Amino acid sequence: APLPAATRRASPPPLSPGRAAGVDRRTADRLRKGRLAVEASLDLHGMTQAAAHGALRRFIGDSHARGRRMVLVVTGKGGPEAPGSRRHGGPPEGRGVLRARVPEWLNAPDLRDKILAIETAQARHGGTGALYVLLKRRREGVV
């Protein structure tokens, strides 16, 4: 059952790379530099938006439930849309759609409640085509 308005927590600030609100400076620095161990990764390359969104929701939910703290989500870099690509059988959304949509999806209430911070990955983990996702600790007795 939903909590009464008086006991609901204020919604956390929006997630965006470079803004690690609620994370201590040392952890934020290690996140930014890719110095936290990646415990699992999800590659969304080549998926449709619908498939990628479902896979992302399952992956974050499962990773949080298993107590993982640091995961990597690979979106691919996309790239500049070729002029006229829509007319030539290219993807109707253009390129780099997942790269743009994943941060939006991570900010949706069902996922945002499980995430502390996100950061653009280091080159060795996919650079701008990937995101580090720092998950909140699971509290016992809270589902």
Side-chain angles (χ1 to χ4, degrees):
L3 295 172
T7 57
R8 247 186 250 142
R9 294 187 319 268
S11 40
L15 295 165
S16 68
R19 284 190 25 212
V23 178
D24 66 86
R25 193 163 157 184
R26 181 173 175 263
T27 301
D29 206 41
R30 291 177 69 211
L31 176 65
R32 186 174 45 76
K33 292 177 179 175
R35 295 212 174 115
L36 296 170
V38 174
E39 298 171 62
S41 62
L42 173 67
D43 190 344
L44 301 174
H45 257 120
M47 290 188 190
T48 64
Q49 284 189 65
H53 192 191
L56 181 68
R57 291 180 69 201
R58 286 186 300 276
F59 176 70
I60 296 296
D62 180 62
S63 292
H64 184 259
R66 292 171 182 249
R68 292 178 181 141
R69 293 281 291 160
M70 175 68 165
V71 297
L72 180 71
V73 177
V74 179
T75 61
K77 292 182 182 174
E81 186 175 352
S85 68
R86 290 184 183 140
R87 289 193 308 262
H88 298 293
E93 301 92 13
R95 300 190 42 150
V97 174
L98 296 180
R99 183 175 163 198
R101 296 300 307 271
V102 164
E104 293 173 26
W105 296 337
L106 293 173
N107 274 292
D110 62 325
L111 293 182
R112 179 62 184 94
D113 287 347
K114 297 173 176 69
I115 301 170
L116 270 178
I118 63 174
E119 187 59 71
T120 302
Q122 291 293 314
R124 69 183 178 278
H125 289 129
T128 58
L131 286 172
Y132 297 129
V133 180
L134 183 63
L135 298 173
K136 292 181 180 178
R137 281 188 171 74
R138 224 176 104 219
R139 291 193 302 237
E140 290 307 315
V142 177
V143 180

